[in-house]
Amino acid sequence: MASAVKDGVHTLLDKLHMTAESASPREPTAQELDVLKEKYNSAGQGHVFAFYESLSTAEKAGLYEQLSNINPVYINRIAEKALNPAATKEQSEVTLEPLPESATASILDSKQEDLEKWYSSGLSLIAENKVAVVLMAGGQGTRLGSAAPKGCFDIGLHSGKSLFQIQAERILKIQQLASKERREKGNVVVPWYVMTSGPTRGPTEKFFEERNYFGLEKDNVFIFEQGVLPCVSNEGKILMESKTRVAVAPDGNGGIYQALVVSSALSDMSTRGIEHIHAYCVDNCLVKVADPVFIGFSASKNVDIATKVVRKRNANESVGLILLKNGKPDVVEYSEIDKNTAEAKDPKQQDVLKFRAANIVNHYYSFSFLNSVMTLANQLPHHVARKKIPYVDTKTGETIKPEKPNGIKLEQFVFDVFPHLELGKFACMEVRREDEFSPLKNAKGTGEDDPDTSKRDILEQGKRWAQAAGAVIVSEGDTAIGVEISPLISYGGEGVEFLNGRQINAPAVIEKED
């Protein structure tokens, strides 16, 4: 399978499992070097060898190895298509419609009996060890003022827990809840597949090891790395980061499909008998990891992909929408929707928007779909991110730090597969924003999607749970102060009956029942 991926898709995966103990690259023979040079020269990318003869033996070996893992013809093709996209009939004649009711459900107005049925069936699947979780955690906390992986970030909770720890503890709790449902012997395991990037792989592994995997079994945490693609100039030339190395960038969250295959994560799932997968982004502090309601709903629909959405706040909110584009499931960015479409009201509910299903990158996959998705990989588009990319001038050897965008990073999006599905194999569940979505995007003090709003949303959720259980919350001052309830105590508001009649002086942390 991995060979087919490399030959058919040609995406660069920069040594997914390279460790400090990996064998050092060897310098190529003259014949091997000539063959590779011809490959690049024929593709018009021979400049990548500009400094080769001046390098040390180790540097030559390293550059040769990197270039051997890149197919310059493939890079030329995807760069050309991304830089000069051909106009299509679909682009000129676009029809947008909400997903049909048959493909949707909403936590906001579903019958309680349906919610309970989905929860029960989803929990049973977890208890049968048929559910896995995939975390997309390749981002660094650069905009948060941190060079560490975003999952390591402490949003300011009184417990000091990082995003990684919060999510790990939710896995521990759902395993515990499911184990009560399991009748046969054996432990309930929800394996956690953590997709990192080049810059975050090492620090993520170290963070997990130093914290003993937050109480999870090491063998059930599978850390792997997404692929990378060369950065390309505005003229389509591969950029050199230095004299010894091509400039590369992660291939986008859509690289998850290939990375699952090449890293052997998918093979590991197969060995474990996994049938249902929940995938999400690390920056959402409220994410319900391996949500049994979502798993149960998706499994009951017998779909290949399902997605969670939240209701768009207003017509002007800058979010992508999940809908039907020319009759196919898709995500359409806010910039692609005109004012009249954005403001259109639902004919059945005049107080809500017609197009309101905001994408939060929170998805369900059937294992059978992921196991066959590589057949679609070479059909998925590459998107252009224009960036200021430092590079070495291959004529002068000078390092250039551009003041304006000089090149592109090519990336795929996780939702690029949606239009390839039959409508009957796609479903959507609307959830409450205040319960399930609080992304961390911006630096502290921004006032929107920042550490303060993430902390606030967790504390307010805990406060709601405590009050629903009969607790009295007492706080001083005008500042909204809430309660942090550990995921080890409650996954989704259950199990807090012991708080009934208790006075809680906020801010407070509830880590145990006494």
Side-chain angles (χ1 to χ4, degrees):
M1 172 69 78
S3 176
V5 170
K6 183 176 179 181
D7 295 339
V9 186
H10 304 299
T11 299
L12 169 61
L13 290 169
D14 195 21
K15 288 294 180 182
L16 284 175
H17 282 292
M18 179 177 285
T19 65
E21 291 74 37
S22 298
S24 299
R26 65 170 181 82
E27 185 178 4
T29 65
Q31 183 178 2
E32 289 172 331
L33 181 61
D34 287 342
V35 170
L36 190 62
K37 280 186 174 181
E38 176 56 29
K39 185 177 182 180
Y40 277 83
N41 286 328
S42 297
Q45 301 284 7
H47 61 280
V48 297
F49 290 97
F51 309 106
Y52 187 84
E53 296 305 327
S54 66
L55 305 181
S56 68
T57 299
E59 289 170 337
K60 287 178 179 178
L63 179 58
Y64 176 83
E65 181 181 55
Q66 187 190 29
L67 293 175
S68 295
N69 284 315
I70 300 172
N71 184 328
V73 175
Y74 175 69
I75 299 303
N76 284 350
R77 185 167 74 249
I78 64 173
E80 173 62 23
K81 289 175 71 173
L83 286 166
N84 302 294
T88 64
K89 181 179 180 181
E90 184 177 277
Q91 289 173 320
S92 59
E93 300 178 11
V94 174
T95 59
L96 303 178
E97 288 294 335
L99 290 170
E101 291 184 5
S102 61
T104 63
S106 175
I107 296 294
L108 283 66
D109 53 26
S110 288
K111 296 178 181 178
Q112 186 62 30
E113 61 191 63
D114 287 334
L115 297 176
E116 292 174 357
K117 177 183 66 178
W118 294 329
Y119 178 85
S120 178
S121 62
L123 200 63
S124 293
L125 291 170
I126 293 170
E128 294 166 9
N129 290 338
K130 293 181 178 179
V131 176
V133 172
V134 175
L135 168 60
M136 290 172 275
Q140 292 173 283
T142 308
R143 282 195 287 175
L144 307 174
S146 169
K150 190 178 283 189
C152 301
F153 197 80
D154 175 357
I155 60 175
L157 293 174
H158 300 289
S159 66
K161 291 177 182 177
S162 64
L163 292 171
F164 280 142
Q165 182 171 351
I166 292 167
Q167 293 161 25
E169 290 183 355
R170 289 194 182 125
I171 293 175
L172 286 165
K173 185 62 178 179
I174 202 62
Q175 289 178 163
Q176 181 189 84
L177 292 172
S179 68
K180 295 178 181 178
E181 298 291 314
R182 185 162 187 165
R183 295 177 182 176
E184 65 256 35
K185 295 180 180 180
N187 293 329
V188 172
V189 174
V190 178
W192 199 14
Y193 299 85
V194 182
M195 186 176 79
T196 64
S197 62
T200 64
R201 173 78 180 268
T204 297
E205 290 178 328
K206 182 180 180 182
F207 195 78
F208 274 65
E209 289 168 0
E210 289 177 344
R211 290 156 182 81
N212 197 29
Y213 294 83
F214 311 105
L216 294 167
E217 293 293 331
K218 179 179 179 180
D219 290 345
N220 297 324
V221 179
F222 190 112
I223 298 175
F224 65 108
E225 192 174 323
Q226 72 184 102
V228 294
L229 286 169
C231 299
V232 178
S233 73
N234 292 329
E235 294 72 40
K237 297 294 185 181
I238 293 174
L239 293 172
M240 297 296 291
E241 171 185 290
S242 65
K243 294 180 179 181
T244 64
R245 189 166 180 81
V246 169
V248 297
D251 55 5
N253 58 21
I256 186 174
Y257 302 115
Q258 183 164 322
L260 283 170
V261 174
V262 179
S263 69
S264 299
L266 207 61
S267 176
D268 186 76
M269 291 182 193
S270 179
T271 300
R272 292 173 182 268
I274 298 299
E275 296 179 6
H276 311 275
I277 296 97
H278 178 215
Y280 67 96
C281 289
V282 72
D283 62 2
N284 180 10
C285 67
L286 293 181
V287 62
K288 298 182 77 171
V289 186
D291 177 14
V293 174
F294 188 42
I295 298 295
F297 163 76
S298 305
S300 72
K301 289 285 188 180
N302 192 31
V303 294
D304 284 331
I305 296 178
T307 184
K308 282 189 178 184
V309 298
V310 295
R311 189 165 293 186
K312 193 176 178 182
R313 286 194 180 106
N314 54 61
N316 299 318
E317 186 179 9
S318 301
V319 292
L321 296 175
I322 292 179
L323 40 64
L324 290 182
K325 180 179 179 181
N326 294 341
K328 299 176 182 178
D330 209 339
V331 174
V332 176
E333 296 300 334
Y334 66 93
S335 57
E336 301 175 57
I337 298 176
D338 62 45
K339 186 174 184 292
N340 289 337
T341 302
E343 295 178 350
K345 297 294 186 179
D346 186 328
K348 295 183 179 180
Q349 303 179 68
Q350 283 296 312
D351 59 332
V352 298
L353 296 170
K354 179 180 180 180
F355 297 100
R356 59 183 180 273
N359 178 34
I360 60 173
V361 196
N362 192 321
H363 308 309
Y364 161 92
Y365 296 95
S366 69
F367 176 81
S368 59
F369 173 78
L370 287 181
N371 203 34
S372 63
V373 73
M374 289 314 303
T375 60
L376 294 176
N378 60 357
Q379 301 177 45
L380 302 183
H382 286 82
H383 306 273
V384 169
R386 297 191 180 275
K387 301 286 185 177
K388 293 183 285 187
I389 305 170
Y391 68 100
V392 170
D393 188 319
T394 54
K395 294 181 180 178
T396 66
E398 180 184 3
T399 298
I400 308 295
K401 294 184 178 180
E403 296 181 355
K404 59 182 181 179
N406 63 308
I408 61 171
K409 295 181 179 181
L410 296 164
E411 55 187 10
Q412 292 178 314
F413 297 152
V414 70
F415 56 74
D416 286 333
V417 299
F418 291 5
H420 293 273
L421 291 177
E422 296 178 9
L423 182 54
K425 287 295 185 178
F426 186 86
C428 179
M429 171 173 275
E430 181 185 57
V431 298
R432 290 185 177 88
R433 187 188 292 251
E434 64 270 24
D435 285 337
E436 300 202 35
F437 186 56
S438 181
L440 179 60
K441 304 288 186 185
N442 304 313
K444 185 178 177 65
T446 308
E448 182 177 345
D449 297 342
D450 68 3
D452 292 333
T453 60
S454 293
K455 174 184 176 180
R456 177 203 68 199
D457 291 342
I458 282 187
L459 295 182
E460 288 187 353
Q461 182 184 66
K463 181 180 178 180
R464 290 194 301 273
W465 291 353
Q467 289 177 326
V472 177
I473 311 299
V474 178
S475 59
E476 296 181 1
D478 298 326
T479 303
I481 296 176
V483 179
E484 180 187 348
I485 297 180
S486 169
L488 298 175
I489 293 292
S490 181
Y491 177 87
E494 82 299 325
V496 292
E497 296 80 10
F498 66 92
L499 295 176
N500 183 31
R502 181 183 298 185
Q503 176 176 305
I504 300 175
N505 296 316
V509 182
I510 309 296
E511 290 278 10
K512 50 188 178 180
E513 292 192 15
D514 55 13

